[in-house]
Amino acid sequence: MSATLATEPVAPSPGPHAATWTGSPHVAAFRPLERQATTLDFERNDEIFAQDEPAQYCYLVLSGCVRTVTLIEDGRRQVGEFLLPGDLFGCDSLAEHDFSAEAVTQVVVRRYCRRALESLADSSRELARTLRELSANQLRAARERMIMLGRKTASERIAGFLVEMSERGAVDAHGRIELPMSRTDVADHLGLTIETVCRGLSELHRVGTIAVNRGTVAIRNRRALDSAGIKIVH
Amino acid sequence: MSATLATEPVAPSPGPHAATWTGSPHVAAFRPLERQATTLDFERNDEIFAQDEPAQYCYLVLSGCVRTVTLIEDGRRQVGEFLLPGDLFGCDSLAEHDFSAEAVTQVVVRRYCRRALESLADSSRELARTLRELSANQLRAARERMIMLGRKTASERIAGFLVEMSERGAVDAHGRIELPMSRTDVADHLGLTIETVCRGLSELHRVGTIAVNRGTVAIRNRRALDSAGIKIVH
DNA sequence: CGCGCAATTGAGCGGGCTCAAAGCCCGTGG
DNA sequence: CCACGGGCTTTGAGCCCGCTCAATTGCGCG
């Protein structure tokens, strides 16, 4: 799970990955920051901020899907996470972002000044707590992804990814999981190649667990999907 | 599990791998918590806390080495991180820990009440900032490890691990990197098998980059080691 | 010296990668 | 309305890195 500010349900965007939602964020603690915040639009594949850019701002996704990307010298790419409406990103950076953020689809974000956020956190224990909780959730998610990357097979990663996306509410009106990102993005998120992701999806399709379309996946057998994406001991 | 209980900070006996934490500025904000804190000893392989245990306490390593461990249903294991003197762990959990912590060597830790920590953070912006910075650093480290696990080859992971350990000060009097943990621990940290870790170390030895001993590794060619553990674009 | 455990080395296999070729979707223009 | 083209996805064939299984070595300790 990622850093979702969940105090009230997000007003669902009417269209698939479209429709600008210009309402104010749904977190009381952020309200004092609204005055100096800005709403921004991005087109598909636009860069929202760059790796190693001074971390002046942080962002809240209003609509669309954002990916965070880290690059290594030789071009290898890691997609850290996919951010959906209600998710925050860039709040927990140090002086500089250590990853870039790019629009997967058309995106609308609300941009906040991190300096203002920090100083507000000094005076609002409410906000400070929210930020701590957010970090804790991010860290938990990061640990889960470490297991995914370090210890799971290709098909487990793919099934687990579908489960995660469905639980995070990336679901359309017909109950299908929305996958607005390319197979390349998914592969770079799961530490696999495009081909392996395709084969994994095809296999899940072949055995009747899911139905695959271009930008969506329909779940045919929830139980089978869940057990294909093994969980942590609890 | 032999958790000897003392009420005063202990100066542990200096043995191998028993570098003692001498106090660092970034935890100065913890001072008000010292009154109700406790110093604990653990033997090799003792469990400090369990996965899914209520996260009542957090810990500071005074001496020795601690590993955090996450298990999956079928026994697959992921070692999240190795903690050295001066490192904190368990501070950023939610209601329950989602990983266990175990002593790699003989260990002395200082245990703090998380509830007290949280309430102190409400009144001390100093501490609140420290905690936020701590989380930010943890997240950065987690992202770097994601690249390691998702996108690096076995030999890159091994070299990168050695570089990391040397930079974190796990170095003995002769400049050798101290590796108090078993090969199994290293393997489960890097998403590899024991055998692959061994072969990787042997190969680095064969080409003259390092010299391998039981619990230490001496660096013979720093440049070669650095370039074997590829960095992130900067 | 001999036992037990961890580390190392060897041989062979297989999952996921690489390289390559279709296939499909959708926009654009005739 | 269809033909064409480009980009992404899917499928196929073969290879290699890292895993599995197994044997050997090295080291600490009674």
Side-chain angles (χ1 to χ4, degrees), chain A residues 182-184 194-195 198-199 202 212:
Chain A
S182 69
R183 295 287 188 264
T184 304
I194 320 174
E195 295 93 327
C198 278
R199 281 187 249 271
S202 298
V212 183

Side-chain angles (χ1 to χ4, degrees), chain B residues 29-162:
Chain B
F30 270 61
R31 197 134 305 152
L33 295 170
E34 288 300 335
R35 264 196 329 113
Q36 28 181 337
T38 309
T39 300
L40 300 170
D41 283 332
F42 292 95
E43 290 304 314
R44 199 165 183 281
N45 292 326
D46 280 354
E47 185 174 78
I48 297 171
F49 59 77
Q51 198 164 332
D52 294 318
E53 187 174 305
Q56 200 175 350
Y57 303 106
C58 69
Y59 304 80
L60 171 68
V61 181
L62 296 183
S63 74
C65 178
V66 171
R67 63 177 174 255
T68 62
V69 177
T70 313
L71 289 176
I72 326 190
E73 289 161 353
D74 59 2
R76 276 175 286 182
R77 202 177 84 127
Q78 173 71 32
V79 170
E81 47 190 347
F82 295 109
L83 300 147
L84 301 175
D87 290 340
L88 283 160
F89 62 101
C91 295
D92 43 27
S93 294
L94 298 169
E96 296 180 347
H97 294 298
D98 56 338
F99 54 88
S100 66
E102 300 164 1
V104 171
T105 60
Q106 257 200 316
V107 158
V108 183
V109 298
R110 187 86 179 140
R111 189 186 74 177
Y112 301 91
C113 174
R114 281 191 67 227
R115 188 187 312 244
L117 180 72
E118 286 290 315
S119 78
L120 180 58
D122 279 343
S123 56
S124 161
R125 73 184 49 173
E126 181 85 5
L127 176 58
R129 273 192 201 146
T130 301
L131 290 178
R132 258 177 279 146
E133 201 171 320
L134 236 45
S135 293
N137 281 318
Q138 297 248 91
L139 279 165
R140 170 184 290 253
R143 274 179 221 115
E144 210 151 315
R145 200 157 306 121
M146 270 183 233
I147 295 177
M148 189 150 227
L149 295 173
R151 281 288 172 246
K152 290 194 181 180
T153 66
S155 39
E156 287 167 359
R157 295 181 207 191
I158 293 161
F161 173 67
L162 293 178

